[in-house]
Structures are given as C-alpha cells and as structure tokens.
Amino acid sequence: MVDISAIAARLDAAAQRAEAIPQITGETGELPLADAYAIQRAAIDHRLARGATLVGMKMGFTSEAKMAQMGLKDQIWGRLTSDMVVVNGGAIDRARFIHPRVEPEVAVRLKAPLAGEVTREEAVAAVDAVAAALEIIDSRYENFRFALGDVVADNASSSAFVVGPWLAADTDVSDVAMEMRVDGEIAETGTSAAILGDPIRSLVAAARLAGAAGLTLQPGWTVMLGGATAAAAIGEARTVSLDAGHLGRVGFTIEGGAA
C-alpha cells in the first residue's frame, strides 16, 4: 500500500530544501494516477498549512508530440499556490530551486467558476483576461527524471510562474509566435498553437480534469494552459524574457546561486 502522507511530506520537504530525491516509483513500482494525485493534493496541503492559498491550475503534457512520447491519451495537471507567484519583471532566488527550467505559456484569468464537461464557448465565457506567461518547472527528482506517477505526485513539476500584462478576454491566443531568451540569447521559439492546437482546448480540458477531481476552478484563478515550446534550462542564467507578439512581453531575473 502506498503511504500517501509520507510521500507527500517527502516531496514537500524536497521542495522546501531544494534537494532532489529518488523517484517514488523506484521504491513503489508503478504509481496509479489516483494515488499520484492524492499525493499531489496532500503535498500542496502542506503549503496551505504554512499560509499559502490556491490561486489556480496548471496544465501539463499539452503537446501532442509529448503525449505520444509518454504514451498518454490525456493531459496532466497541477495546483498553483500564492507562494509560486513571481511579479512580471521581478526576481527569483536561484537557491530556491534544484534544476529549474522555464517554458513560455498562455495564461487565462477566470471571472466565473468552471468545472466538468464544458464547451469551448462556455470555457471562453468564463475568461476574464488572457496573457503571455512563463512557468518555472523544477522536478524534485534526481536528474529531472521521472515516470508518469512521479511527475503527477510532484505537482507536475510546477514551481513558480510569471504572468505578463492582462489583456481583454477576446484577444486572439490561438497562434501567437513566441520567442524566449535566456541571458539575451534565443533559447526557444514556437507558437501558442502547439498547446493542443489551440490554447482554449487546454482550458476545456482543465475544466474537465478539475471536475473529475472534485475541484472547481474559481473566479480570479489563473490557469496556465501549457508550454508552447520545450523547456529551457535556467542554469546560472541571470535573465529570462519572452516576446509574445501582441500578447506583450514577460520576464524575470535570477538572483543568487544554486542551493
């Protein structure tokens, strides 16, 4: 039997200390998704007990190619908390992270509750604003290696996120060219169409997955809709920026060194 509380505590401690741990599945064997999501929720409960609040949801494996590579037929998701928020143009402390990577995304802010099976039109109607964003992912596992159950339990590797200027809800996000730079050098280029062919499809999926877990996406929450390109390693870089065309610019700086 999987000890959900013990594994959640171990993952939470790894995140707090910025110290990598071995894969869970190396000890337990294949970890069923139901158990993995239970561990995720229990680990996030540790954050909430320290005073953080839930502020949204993130989507993972929103690339058709990545899903095929992982042998998946559906996306995964994680929870966003207030202690993950980085202000656009703000700084992060490198010592908070183990081996951070960054990816360009599209984010939406909700104005109405959203959960369960919804149409594209219903999903769009719940959106208050859209923005370009950057997500900092930081697997708590050694060498950034994990099986599906591992990454789900680890809150889909979510670590921090930065949202650019909020724009009107009807701003087109379907095929936005994105250029991400690390220390001024182009690290990744792509388009928002890589997010399930249309980022709004990812919002529909987010509502479905949240509803299946008994969770309702709340007004004011941010939903990160998935990476538009592969993630780039931050390493010892000092600046990360994203030019997302008509969605604007978003970025952050990095202070300090590795823990």
Side-chain angles (χ1 to χ4, degrees):
M1 174 178 270
V2 175
D3 190 335
I4 288 169
S5 295
I7 296 172
R10 195 187 318 165
L11 281 166
D12 179 64
Q16 278 196 289
R17 298 170 185 164
E19 294 177 354
I21 61 173
Q23 293 179 42
I24 297 166
T25 53
E27 304 171 14
T28 65
E30 185 176 352
L31 186 64
L33 279 181
D35 287 344
Y37 277 113
I39 293 167
Q40 177 192 121
R41 179 173 181 174
I44 291 297
D45 282 346
H46 284 278
R47 289 175 176 262
L48 303 185
R50 291 193 293 270
T53 56
L54 284 175
V55 297
M57 176 176 177
K58 67 147 293 180
M59 295 292 286
F61 294 156
T62 53
S63 157
E64 302 284 359
K66 185 66 174 178
M67 278 193 288
Q69 178 186 340
M70 295 293 292
L72 298 176
K73 295 183 179 178
D74 208 349
Q75 293 74 52
I76 63 171
W77 61 280
R79 293 165 166 86
L80 300 178
T81 55
S82 54
D83 55 347
M84 298 179 186
V85 176
V86 178
V87 175
N88 189 16
I92 64 169
D93 182 358
R94 177 65 179 79
R96 282 180 51 197
F97 306 92
I98 302 167
H99 31 213
R101 301 179 184 183
V102 60
E103 58 189 27
E105 304 206 9
V106 170
V108 298
R109 186 176 66 204
L110 299 180
K111 64 182 179 183
L114 198 62
E117 299 286 346
V118 299
T119 65
R120 187 182 195 281
E121 291 70 25
E122 288 169 334
V124 168
V127 173
D128 178 54
V130 303
L134 291 165
E135 184 182 11
I136 302 160
I137 57 175
D138 188 32
S139 172
R140 267 56 70 164
Y141 301 115
E142 294 169 349
N143 303 313
F144 220 109
R145 294 179 62 84
F146 44 75
L148 178 61
D150 295 311
V151 67
V152 168
D154 190 30
N155 201 35
S157 300
S158 194
S159 184
F161 66 100
V162 191
V163 178
W166 289 111
L167 304 173
D170 62 356
T171 303
D172 183 13
V173 297
S174 62
D175 189 13
V176 180
M178 294 189 166
E179 182 179 87
M180 184 172 69
R181 292 177 178 264
V182 176
D183 273 354
E185 299 293 326
I186 295 175
E188 296 287 345
T189 60
T191 168
S192 62
I195 305 169
L196 290 181
D198 175 1
I200 299 303
R201 289 183 60 197
S202 184
L203 180 59
V204 171
R208 172 176 54 79
L209 292 168
L215 179 69
T216 296
L217 305 180
Q218 297 293 329
W221 277 16
T222 297
V223 183
M224 299 283 284
L225 298 178
T229 73
I234 289 177
E236 297 304 315
R238 292 300 174 191
T239 64
V240 175
S241 63
L242 171 65
D243 184 341
H246 65 269
L247 295 187
R249 295 178 61 85
V250 56
F252 60 92
T253 60
I254 302 102
E255 298 177 343

